[in-house]
Amino acid sequence: MGLETVVKDIMDAANAEVSRIKAQTDAEVLEIIEEAKDESKRIMGESLAKAEDDIKRMKQQEISSANLEVKRTLLNARKGTLEEVYDRSFEIISSLPESKDKELLNIIIMNNESKGKRIYSNAKSEKLVRELSSLEYAGNINCAGGVVIENEDGTIRLDYTYDVILKGVNEQFLKQTSDILFG
């Protein structure tokens, strides 16, 4: 066996080893690439699912926020309407014809005169109150109408002004008024 044959055998063996290593490396590279593709698909799927969940959550938040704003606007409109009803009622009571004012004052005074010593009214109703009541007229007060009856030492004041009566009725029947107006 000659030197050339030994060199050729060594070269053939080295070339075969290089081919084997290259084939093994190519197979490992392909395996790593496939694993990377699978991992990227998994990550992409998770990211897409998270993005879809985020979009759904944001959409639900926007819808909830819009619904809340609609409710707030509706409540403010209803509140405004109820305030208008109250203001209009106050205007009507403030400008009652003298006959109706006399009728209401007479009922209030008849039912409550025995509870006091002095009586107050607005300037517009002073003459009428003096006619209807046997109590000492104590002066004018700022109100839409009605009277305030006070005991002898001034410790008890019964407020039967139209302002207070209307406010009490408004508070007592606010829900019913709202139901009538808005269903």
Side-chain angles (χ1 to χ4, degrees):
M1 204 171 144
L3 187 56
E4 287 180 19
T5 309
V6 170
V7 169
K8 185 175 183 286
D9 286 346
I10 292 173
M11 286 299 279
D12 287 344
N15 283 338
E17 183 65 18
V18 166
S19 292
R20 185 189 65 75
I21 291 172
K22 187 176 187 280
Q24 184 180 354
T25 303
D26 287 347
E28 287 176 6
V29 166
L30 283 176
E31 186 179 324
I32 290 170
I33 290 173
E34 286 302 314
E35 286 176 4
K37 284 181 181 178
D38 290 345
E39 182 67 12
S40 72
K41 284 180 184 177
R42 184 190 65 76
I43 291 171
M44 182 68 102
E46 287 176 0
S47 296
L48 186 59
K50 184 181 182 314
E52 287 174 353
D53 288 345
D54 289 346
I55 289 169
K56 285 178 186 175
R57 189 178 15 55
M58 289 170 60
K59 184 178 177 182
Q60 187 59 42
Q61 286 174 340
E62 288 296 319
I63 290 170
S64 295
S65 179
N67 285 337
L68 187 62
E69 186 61 31
V70 167
K71 286 179 183 178
R72 184 178 299 121
T73 302
L74 182 60
L75 286 174
N76 286 337
R78 286 180 176 181
K79 181 181 175 190
T81 301
L82 289 169
E83 287 172 358
E84 285 180 40
V85 168
Y86 179 84
D87 292 344
R88 182 67 183 123
S89 299
F90 187 82
E91 288 173 18
I92 291 169
I93 287 175
S94 297
S95 59
L96 281 175
E98 190 175 333
S99 62
K100 284 291 182 190
D101 193 28
K102 182 177 183 175
E103 187 180 324
L104 287 174
L105 287 171
N106 192 38
I107 292 169
I108 292 170
I109 291 169
M110 281 178 40
N111 290 332
N112 299 289
E113 193 171 41
S114 63
K115 300 174 187 173
K117 174 81 172 153
R118 289 181 289 283
I119 192 164
Y120 300 83
S121 74
N122 64 13
K124 179 181 152 193
S125 303
E126 179 179 347
K127 182 180 174 192
L128 200 52
V129 170
R130 286 182 185 268
E131 285 175 20
L132 297 172
S133 176
S134 63
L135 297 177
E136 170 191 331
Y137 191 82
N140 294 334
I141 54 172
N142 186 15
C143 65
V147 295
V148 171
I149 297 174
E150 187 177 70
N151 71 351
E152 189 169 343
D153 61 3
T155 56
I156 299 175
R157 290 177 59 111
L158 303 173
D159 193 337
Y160 295 107
T161 58
Y162 299 162
D163 313 57
V164 170
I165 293 170
L166 179 62
K167 185 177 179 183
V169 168
N170 183 55
E171 289 171 0
Q172 184 177 357
F173 294 102
L174 186 61
K175 182 176 179 356
Q176 290 170 323
T177 303
S178 180
D179 290 346
I180 290 168
L181 290 175
F182 309 116

